Structure formats: C-alpha cells, structure tokens
Amino acid sequence: MTISKRTKKQIHLGAHFPGVNNTTVWTDPASKSQIEFDSFVHLAESAERGLFDFFFLAEGLRLREHRNKIHDLDVVGRPDTLTVLNALASVTTKLGLAGTINTTFNEPFELAKQFSSLDHLSDGRAAWNMVTSSDAFTGENFRRGGYLDRADRYVRANEIIDVAREFWDSWQSDAFVVDRDRGVFGRESEIRTVSHSGPQFDVTGRFTLPRSPQGHPVLLQAGDSDEGREFGAAKADAIFTIHGTLEDGQKFYTDVKGRLAKYGREHADLKVLPAATFVLGDSAQDAAEKADHIRHQQVSGKTAISFLEQVWGRDLSEYDPDGPLPDVEPSGDVSITRGRARHGDPRTLAQQYRERAEAENLSIRELIIAVTTRQQFVGTPAQVAEDIDSYVQNDACDGFILVPHITPAGLDEFVDQVVPELQDRGSFRTEYTGNTLRDHLGLRHPYQQREGVRAS
C-alpha cells in the first residue's frame, strides 16, 4: 500500500558532535579541531540549514584508559558541554541544543538551573540527555567517588528528575511582574517552596528562575536494559537505542512504546531515535567501497587489537591483527580497560567471536570491523533517503541521531543531498513550523501531559 505524503510519519533528525566514540576519523586531513568554537558552529549551522530537530553533545567525565594509557580514539580536552550549548544559542535560531549531563555526580538544583538557563537563553530549545554511572573509575573525579551501587543508579536518576521537575514547576506562569524602577521580581505567594525528602535527596528551597519557554527542557535518555527502558518510558521525551536492524528496531519500538500507558502517557510522548552513520556515493558500489575504506580508517590494526584485549583481558600485542583470533582463553581481568561499558561475559563473547570468525573466515581486524559497525546507511542519496524513510514508516523508530565520521563538515553532504530527497518523499519538513524543540519533535507541553490534554 502506498502511503500518501499527507499521512506519512515525519522523520526526526539530530546531529551528533563526536565525543567518546569509535566513529570519527581524526587522522583524516578533513577532520578539524574538537576544541575550537568554529567546529561546533559549523556542525550546528549545517544541522539548522538542514532543518534538523537538534544538535547533540555527548560527554565523558573521565578519559578512558587502556593498559594504563589514554585510549587513542578519545577526544581529549573538549570544552564543557553546557558552555558550548549556551554559546551556540547565540549563533542559531531554531535548532534544538541537547547535552549529556550525568545524574550520578550532580545535584538536582544545579541541573534544574543550568538547563532552565539554557532554555531561557535559547528561547525554548534546550534538551538534557540524562545518563547514569556506577563506574568507580569515573567517580574518582568526584567527591563521592564510586559510592553508588549499580542497582541504585536509576533510583538516583528517577529522584533527581522528580526534584528538578518540582523546581521547574514551582513558578506559576504569571509568577513575576516587571517594575521598570526596581527590575523583575517574583510575587512570594506564586513561587512555591520545594520540599522534598527521599532516599537520595533532602531539598527545601525556592527556585531562582521563572518557568522557561518549554516548561521543562526536553529530556533524552539512553538505556537498553529493562530498568533503562522503564526509566525512559516514565521520564524521557526521546530515547536513544542501539538496535540497527529493522526487525530489532520494531521490537524495541513496540516494547518501549507499550510501557507508556501505565505512566499516563501517549504514544507520541516518546520519540525513539537510534544513532546511525551514513556513507554516500554516486552509485551503490561506489558508496560500498567508500564505506569499507572508512571502516578500515576507523579500525586500524592497533585499534582492533586494543578492542580484542578488552574482551580477552590480557595483552595481545604479539598477535597479528590480520591473522586469526588468539588461541588462549580470556583471563577474566576487567581492569585492562577502564571507563568503558562492558557488554556480556568475556568467555561467552570470545566463543561467539571465534564462531563468527571461523564461519566467515575473518581476521582479528575484519572481525572487529564487523562487530563494532553500528547502524549504517550506505548508498546513493536517494537510496539512503529511502532506507531511512522505511525505518520510520515501518515503526522501527521515529528518526535518527546522525554521527558523521568527519568533524565538523561530515554532515554537509547529507544536508545537501539526502534532505531534499526526504522532502520530496513527503517525510521531512521544508521549513521549521515552530520555535521550540518541543514544537520540532511534536511533544506536548508538560502541563498538557499532567492535565491529559491530547496531542494534536
């Protein structure tokens, strides 16, 4: 059945400025500084020119270490996330500004104030990507260290959001008057005192800012565990996923959307946005050859060995990255790499790797390229647009967070070549029709959700 342009779901797009990842090819001459403000401006202006929903900054609170050395693919020395976003508010007019800030090592009042400030300064374009941490290595950079048990990370995250929302809601919409002689001041009876007592926080005080344009900043979340999905369904406006295939995406989409009703939320109140990369070519073969070249840039022989060492937990530098997998068993030492999330039991992973390498006749480097490749759209601009559209129309997601492999100009060709294709398909806006990030994402205002006002 052909879906008419009028009834097609609209695709949501975010632009990711790289932080801690394995995507950016920093050795490519086209890659520029991760510190200079011009780099952030270039990517943000490209995203706004392409009518994207938002610009996204990830964050790392400690540089990853591998065998006691800084991981060679990490960004070192990037400025503070909120500083960058507030600065970008002055050089953009419509683009949403999203930043990752940790819920484990910060306090609800300061986070509420920081994101409310960004929302005011940007006229309603702020978003907070809420992340948790139970990593004692990361915690060493903070007073409380790694005190938080893994089981408690979402307990704290849930409570910190609850307290932040109490602060954001404590000013009534008309809770200030303007007196030209004495400035702006709040009427005491209309600013509610926040009084909260819970397992993580005891807070009594008054918020220092009036309600911001969005009421609450847009809340983003990433987490694939059952508790992460539940937290996203309860608290988030958008959730990032790692599911790359259409079938896996549809299963995740159905699962997390199905959890909304118990929290009094509608299907449209949560957007599902996987991360994805893209490679464009003049033909399908040209794009495939480019994609293969890029993956080999991203995964050098040294990088492949380093990744395998994270699973094996031992020094594998004597092995040839273009040769077969090690014949030794994993040691179980998880301290060889610090500051990085672990995915499963090392011995189980090693067995899976061996089975795949044998079945597909893969070297170490070829295997690591295969197992670390995220969702990729590879083809001509028309093919990439068709693939992206298919995922959204078939309810595998609501859009994508695009991660270019070149910083900061890597998004330019997508904006120039793929966006017009999506617009021709009737799946993507031809102009911004609202001013706030909630407008762009089609999200209800927080008071509408509380009062049960249906989304238009």
Side-chain angles (χ1 to χ4, degrees):
M1 182 178 69
T2 302
I3 302 174
S4 71
K5 289 186 177 182
R6 183 170 298 177
T7 60
K8 291 183 75 172
K9 285 174 62 180
Q10 292 298 291
I11 295 168
H12 297 288
L13 294 176
H16 179 276
F17 190 99
V20 179
N21 69 21
N22 299 324
T23 301
T24 306
V25 182
W26 294 108
T27 56
D28 193 298
S31 280
K32 305 301 181 184
S33 172
Q34 83 283 1
I35 296 175
E36 294 177 4
F37 188 52
D38 284 351
S39 291
F40 298 101
V41 172
H42 186 121
L43 187 65
E45 289 183 339
S46 295
E48 189 162 69
R49 178 167 56 85
L51 305 175
F52 277 45
D53 294 83
F54 60 90
F55 170 99
F56 172 63
L57 273 178
E59 181 181 63
L61 295 179
R62 183 161 181 177
L63 297 175
R64 293 178 295 174
E65 294 181 10
H66 182 70
R67 293 169 57 191
N68 298 317
K69 294 181 179 179
I70 301 300
H71 192 281
D72 66 352
L73 288 180
D74 272 0
V75 172
V76 179
R78 194 175 71 188
D80 174 73
T81 295
L82 283 163
T83 302
V84 172
L85 295 180
N86 279 297
L88 288 176
S90 67
V91 296
T92 55
T93 59
K94 298 288 187 180
L95 185 69
L97 302 168
T100 300
I101 300 293
N102 197 284
T103 60
T104 303
F105 302 112
N106 293 286
E107 299 298 317
F109 173 81
E110 65 178 347
L111 290 173
K113 185 176 182 180
Q114 288 167 336
F115 279 99
S116 184
S117 297
L118 176 60
D119 208 45
H120 277 290
L121 294 174
S122 65
D123 294 325
R125 296 183 281 134
W128 171 14
N129 181 35
M130 312 168 289
V131 297
T132 65
S133 176
S134 59
D135 179 12
F137 172 71
T138 299
E140 290 173 358
N141 270 347
F142 297 86
R143 174 180 58 82
R144 64 174 56 92
Y147 88 101
L148 192 65
D149 290 336
R150 184 174 183 84
D152 291 334
R153 59 186 182 140
Y154 281 112
V155 173
R156 181 181 175 90
N158 271 289
E159 192 173 343
I160 205 170
I161 300 305
D162 289 341
V163 179
R165 283 175 167 173
E166 289 189 55
F167 280 122
W168 292 327
D169 290 338
S170 63
W171 283 63
Q172 301 300 316
S173 59
D174 60 348
F176 63 91
V177 295
V178 177
D179 185 306
R180 296 187 183 278
D181 295 325
R182 294 184 292 170
V184 178
F185 63 94
R187 293 197 290 271
E188 183 175 342
S189 62
E190 295 174 327
I191 306 175
R192 179 173 55 82
T193 297
V194 172
S195 182
H196 174 94
S197 180
Q200 295 289 329
F201 304 104
D202 287 301
V203 176
T204 302
R206 294 190 178 184
F207 201 41
T208 55
L209 284 173
R211 190 185 300 273
S212 70
Q214 295 188 111
H216 301 172
V218 170
L219 298 179
L220 313 177
Q221 187 261 345
D224 193 49
S225 66
D226 186 71
E227 59 185 353
R229 296 182 187 205
E230 203 67 25
F231 176 62
K235 306 293 187 185
D237 298 305
I239 187 168
F240 301 157
T241 81
I242 58 173
H243 299 284
T245 68
L246 182 68
E247 183 179 359
D248 286 346
Q250 288 172 325
K251 290 178 180 178
F252 179 87
Y253 190 91
T254 299
D255 177 71
V256 74
K257 295 271 189 172
R259 300 174 188 241
L260 294 170
K262 73 178 74 171
Y263 301 106
R265 307 183 68 196
E266 296 182 4
H267 187 274
D269 289 334
L270 178 67
K271 306 303 178 186
V272 176
L273 304 170
T277 61
F278 62 91
V279 180
L280 305 179
D282 295 330
S283 66
Q285 181 178 350
D286 178 43
E289 290 174 356
K290 286 182 179 179
D292 183 68
H293 173 69
I294 291 167
R295 288 301 287 137
H296 280 80
Q297 284 183 300
Q298 292 166 329
V299 184
S300 66
K302 177 183 174 182
T303 298
I305 293 296
S306 294
F307 189 95
L308 205 66
E309 287 174 338
Q310 295 170 26
V311 177
W312 258 253
R314 61 170 76 237
D315 181 356
L316 300 176
S317 58
E318 64 185 71
Y319 287 87
D320 180 2
D322 295 316
L325 268 65
D327 51 6
V328 297
E329 292 300 315
S331 72
D333 179 10
V334 297
S335 65
I336 192 168
T337 294
R338 302 197 296 171
R340 185 184 185 96
R342 301 199 169 273
H343 303 284
D345 174 67
R347 291 184 181 275
T348 301
L349 271 179
Q351 183 60 31
Q352 292 173 351
Y353 284 4
R354 283 177 172 144
E355 291 174 357
R356 181 166 183 177
E358 182 178 355
E360 300 178 28
N361 193 28
L362 302 177
S363 67
I364 291 174
R365 188 180 183 192
E366 290 168 337
L367 174 74
I368 298 306
I369 287 174
V371 300
T372 60
T373 297
R374 67 171 75 207
Q375 169 67 59
Q376 275 198 116
F377 293 106
V378 179
T380 65
Q383 289 170 333
V384 168
E386 181 179 0
D387 289 344
I388 289 175
D389 197 28
S390 176
Y391 271 74
V392 174
Q393 304 309 326
N394 288 289
D395 289 341
C397 62
D398 294 301
F400 290 93
I401 310 297
L402 296 180
V403 189
H405 73 280
I406 295 295
T407 301
L411 190 67
D412 294 358
E413 61 177 352
F414 186 96
V415 169
D416 294 333
Q417 300 177 43
V418 180
V419 166
E421 295 282 351
L422 294 174
Q423 291 169 331
D424 286 345
R425 299 177 70 87
S427 304
F428 193 69
R429 64 173 65 93
T430 56
E431 61 181 352
Y432 287 113
T433 56
N435 296 315
T436 71
L437 180 52
R438 286 188 178 275
D439 293 334
H440 304 341
L441 292 170
L443 296 170
R444 292 185 292 169
H445 191 282
Y447 85 83
Q448 291 178 313
Q449 296 192 38
R450 288 196 302 274
E451 299 299 323
V453 178
R454 294 191 62 82
S456 60

